[in-house]
Amino acid sequence: MNKSKITRSAACLLGLQLLIFSCQSPEPQQESKRGLIAENAMVVSAREEASKIGVEIMQKGGNAFDAMMATEMALAVTFPFAGNLGGGGFAVFRMANGETGSIDYREKAPGAAHRDMYLDENGNVIPELSTKGALASGVPGTIAGIFEAQAKYGKLDPKEVLQPVIDLARNGFVVSPQQADRLAGIRDVVREVNGEETFYGKEWNAGDTIKNLALAETLERIAKNGRDEFYKGETGHRLVAHLRDMGGIITEEDLEAYEAVWREPVIFNYKELRVISMAPPSSGGVTIGQILKMVEPFDLKSMGHNSAEYVQVLTEAMRRAYADRNYYLGDPDFVDIPVNELLDREYLKSRMESFNPDLATRSSDIAEGSVLFAESMETTHYSIMDSDGNALAVTTTLNGAYGSKVYLDELGFFMNNEMDDFSSKAGVPNMFGLIGAEANSIAPGKRMLSSMTPTLVERDGKLWMIVGTPGGSTIITAVAQTILNAYEFDMTMQEAVEAPRFHHQWLPDQVLFEENTLDSTLLQILTAKKYLINEGRTPIIGSVDAIMVLPDGKLEGGADPRRENKAAGY
Ligand code: DON
């Protein structure tokens, strides 16, 4: 039994009722629970087919970047819920030699977009305009991102990489029970948006095989003509024409102008760990950095995993970090973001000075902190490690489930509704309850702020963990907890992924707990301290896919059982 488990068991025996979750999961007396172990290389993703195709490409001599292209496109085929050609994402990498970097293939607002495009004549947000239909989409970045990354660092010919995915689209994949439920759940709205005959408007049952021939043909053209097929070729022309007919504003010029951007990742230390995560326009790296650095001075280990004390400290750090996120962060190509100041140790220490262990801080008493800087701020994650030691954390999204619900029947994919990640109006929450400010207002060609947090963690100078998750605004806090679970509480990768999670995002002023994980004693302690709890309405917080490099160099996959995630490796 490892040390943290002894601590947990002892605490349970002593009746320290504060240690609510830790007495529940993982079971104190049980052996450590491990995920899949592989000797050489691994992919953990939302679908088994996608993980396997990524591994197959590496076995054929490809590296992590070749596997990224294959896995991302295999998710577009088998996981249309979030896998995509019509969306965007971020990838953070660390090469075997320690070189780090990231690529931003986030969607951009079309040229005809404008600040008030989702407001009526009285200045009120028009419901659903930024979430459903052709106006909800930003200019997609996925094809640009995977081609740019693969061209720079990959080893194989993209045709070879894409062939198994084209075969998968043509031969079909089997609908899982969870997928059948989701497809049934959106069938009416997909028909409403695209017409009765639309592909995903059909009744798909668990066990059916979906053969997406339109997507197979689109991927074949892309394999033949490269990224320009999507941005300048037949695929792009058809996409623009389709959206125009539906009242959309994305033009051929918008597609032609789209470029993925290489960005310096956000890098910070947490105790002996070095964390490498995504920079703006994702808020992921800055906000996870703020949270972890705000809790760094506290002895989390002795508090116990998910004890009331632990939940409090983390919640207060989350509250303060999200207040800064919502005010300061946006597309760095449009607004100046004081990244270094926001991650400054002294600044973060001063942010936590108002923390009172006996009483919850009210979010209404917290605003963004004042930092001095020159004035001049449904998703899916997969983690890959190749046999050379190159690591990739990739999070990609259409935003909501099946994005804007606009399905391009002739091309075989859904379009994103990422425009909702902008702040349509200052102070009005988006679909994740996030409130934005000027830094994240809409402007032509601007990227909308994201919470996606693809992250790599080094320990003792070596790669230790690859981690990320979907979950909208809860992504950042789920990734933070996964890292803390493994580091502070010595959990295995699989245990760290499975452990119950909670979330706070400043506004609304509520701590969310996953369903059935909030013990009555913990509830009592927190409510006595005036925490506002929203238990029950949050079935899951994130769906983490992670890889840990074990001391003997083997890889352990952490595939979240909250969804159908799967690790594959060799
Ligand atoms: O970029 C973002 O932060 C959101 N578009 C992510 C959406 C998401 O994670 C939905 N999945 N549950």
Side-chain angles (χ1 to χ4, degrees):
M1 196 186 299
N2 64 29
K3 210 165 92 201
S4 78
K5 288 199 171 147
I6 296 169
T7 318
R8 280 198 293 270
S9 319
C12 292
L13 286 172
L14 285 169
L16 276 184
Q17 288 159 327
L18 301 184
L19 291 173
I20 304 303
F21 293 147
S22 48
C23 298
Q24 290 178 341
S25 175
E27 288 296 322
Q29 299 297 342
Q30 275 177 4
E31 280 300 302
S32 296
K33 180 175 181 185
R34 287 271 178 211
L36 181 78
I37 303 286
E39 303 267 343
N40 301 295
M42 184 176 273
V43 180
V44 191
S45 83
R47 283 285 296 199
E48 186 167 15
E49 300 90 333
S51 299
K52 282 188 168 162
I53 279 189
V55 169
E56 188 188 311
I57 288 296
M58 292 194 282
Q59 282 174 311
K60 279 188 191 156
N63 68 8
F65 293 86
D66 300 302
M68 171 186 172
M69 178 179 262
T71 304
E72 180 113 4
M73 288 300 98
L75 286 167
V77 173
T78 58
F79 193 62
F81 180 72
N84 66 83
L85 281 74
F90 299 102
V92 179
F93 66 87
R94 182 186 183 280
M95 306 303 285
N97 65 7
E99 174 196 346
T100 56
S102 70
I103 185 159
D104 160 3
Y105 54 99
R106 181 70 161 167
E107 299 92 324
K108 293 174 77 164
H114 58 94
R115 187 194 160 93
D116 297 334
M117 63 186 279
Y118 298 118
L119 305 185
D120 65 16
E121 60 279 10
N122 300 317
N124 297 319
V125 174
I126 303 166
E128 295 195 334
L129 207 55
S130 67
T131 57
K132 195 172 85 177
L135 268 185
S137 296
V139 182
T142 296
I143 293 297
I146 61 173
F147 269 84
E148 179 84 21
Q150 198 271 344
K152 186 157 179 196
Y153 291 106
K155 298 206 298 204
L156 303 180
D157 182 334
K159 280 199 201 75
E160 192 183 348
V161 174
L162 290 173
Q163 193 54 51
V165 185
I166 294 166
D167 296 342
L168 180 64
R170 183 154 285 131
N171 299 331
F173 64 95
V174 177
V175 178
S176 69
Q178 201 174 85
Q179 218 164 16
D181 284 352
R182 282 179 175 176
L183 286 168
I186 55 126
R187 190 171 305 130
D188 287 348
V189 58
V190 168
R191 284 184 184 166
E192 176 203 319
V193 172
N194 303 292
E196 297 291 313
E197 298 307 314
T198 189
F199 191 66
Y200 278 107
K202 291 182 193 155
E203 209 177 300
W204 295 107
N205 297 308
D208 288 351
T209 297
I210 295 186
K211 297 180 182 181
N212 190 337
L213 301 184
L215 184 52
E217 283 169 19
T218 299
L219 289 170
E220 246 165 12
R221 285 196 306 276
I222 290 173
K224 184 162 166 252
N225 304 325
R227 58 88 74 195
D228 280 357
E229 166 62 29
F230 191 90
Y231 293 95
K232 297 177 187 165
E234 184 187 334
T235 302
H237 300 321
R238 290 207 215 167
L239 183 152
V240 167
H242 188 121
L243 293 182
R244 196 190 304 121
D245 287 348
M246 295 179 78
I249 56 171
I250 293 179
T251 60
E252 299 197 338
E253 292 71 42
D254 288 329
L255 278 185
E256 275 178 32
Y258 188 87
E259 293 288 349
V261 182
W262 294 98
R263 298 200 190 268
E264 284 300 315
V266 167
I267 301 183
F268 62 91
N269 293 321
Y270 173 80
K271 299 186 181 172
E272 59 180 318
L273 305 181
R274 183 166 178 261
V275 181
I276 303 144
S277 191
M278 193 62 216
S282 180
S283 61
V286 171
T287 309
I288 198 175
Q290 285 203 313
I291 294 170
L292 290 177
K293 287 172 87 72
M294 275 191 264
V295 302
E296 193 174 10
F298 296 86
D299 186 356
L300 302 180
K301 205 184 271 272
S302 73
M303 291 176 183
H305 180 248
N306 285 352
S307 64
E309 231 184 325
Y310 176 78
V311 171
Q312 260 189 283
V313 172
L314 216 52
T315 294
E316 294 302 347
M318 292 169 181
R319 185 197 308 278
R320 287 158 178 78
Y322 275 77
D324 277 357
R325 173 204 185 275
N326 295 359
Y327 184 79
Y328 285 111
L329 304 190
D331 182 348
D333 297 341
F334 282 72
V335 286
D336 288 316
I337 303 173
V339 172
N340 293 335
E341 291 79 356
L342 288 169
L343 288 171
D344 179 74
R345 189 177 299 274
E346 289 307 311
Y347 167 67
L348 294 170
K349 204 168 137 213
S350 73
R351 281 296 261 168
M352 280 301 266
E353 268 161 15
S354 58
F355 166 57
N356 174 356
D358 299 324
L359 191 65
T361 307
R362 282 276 73 81
S363 285
S364 49
D365 295 333
I366 291 282
E368 71 284 356
S370 107
V371 299
L372 280 177
F373 73 105
E375 189 80 27
S376 13
M377 169 144 127
E378 258 322 315
T379 306
T380 188
H381 173 86
Y382 54 95
S383 293
I384 306 182
M385 179 83 173
D386 69 22
S387 59
D388 294 333
N390 303 312
L392 259 173
V394 189
T395 315
T396 177
T397 189
L398 289 166
N399 195 24
Y402 307 95
S404 61
K405 314 294 187 287
V406 171
Y407 185 75
L408 307 175
D409 272 286
E410 68 279 35
L411 299 174
F413 59 85
F414 281 99
M415 287 297 294
N416 71 82
N417 60 351
E418 220 74 58
M419 291 296 283
D420 190 64
D421 274 348
F422 278 118
S423 170
S424 292
K425 183 179 176 181
V428 176
N430 74 354
M431 73 158 92
F432 299 110
L434 288 167
I435 289 168
E438 187 54 36
N440 190 32
S441 60
I442 305 171
K446 188 173 175 183
R447 285 163 152 93
M448 53 297 280
L449 184 62
S450 172
S451 300
M452 292 190 277
T453 314
T455 298
L456 306 171
V457 186
E458 288 175 9
R459 190 171 189 166
D460 302 324
K462 293 196 198 117
L463 183 83
W464 179 53
M465 190 188 287
I466 310 171
V467 57
T469 180
S473 57
T474 67
I475 290 175
I476 302 164
T477 56
V479 173
Q481 287 171 82
T482 307
I483 296 171
L484 291 173
N485 288 347
Y487 180 73
E488 296 286 357
F489 303 107
D490 299 327
M491 293 187 198
T492 67
M493 191 71 268
Q494 188 62 33
E495 289 169 343
V497 162
E498 288 189 17
R501 294 190 275 265
F502 58 94
H503 170 77
H504 196 291
Q505 60 180 50
W506 178 48
L507 294 172
D509 188 352
Q510 285 171 339
V511 197
L512 304 182
F513 286 88
E514 291 184 298
E515 227 156 29
N516 304 323
T517 59
L518 180 63
D519 180 282
S520 58
T521 315
L522 180 59
L523 181 64
Q524 265 173 22
I525 298 169
L526 292 175
T527 44
K529 293 182 178 182
K530 306 281 184 245
Y531 282 90
L532 306 170
I533 311 285
N534 179 14
E535 199 248 348
R537 273 194 261 156
T538 310
I540 63 165
I541 294 177
S543 179
V544 178
D545 280 330
I547 299 174
M548 186 189 279
V549 184
L550 302 177
D552 62 3
K554 289 186 184 156
L555 308 173
E556 183 197 350
D560 204 325
R562 290 167 176 81
R563 294 272 188 250
E564 296 165 325
N565 300 284
K566 258 299 196 263
Y570 74 99

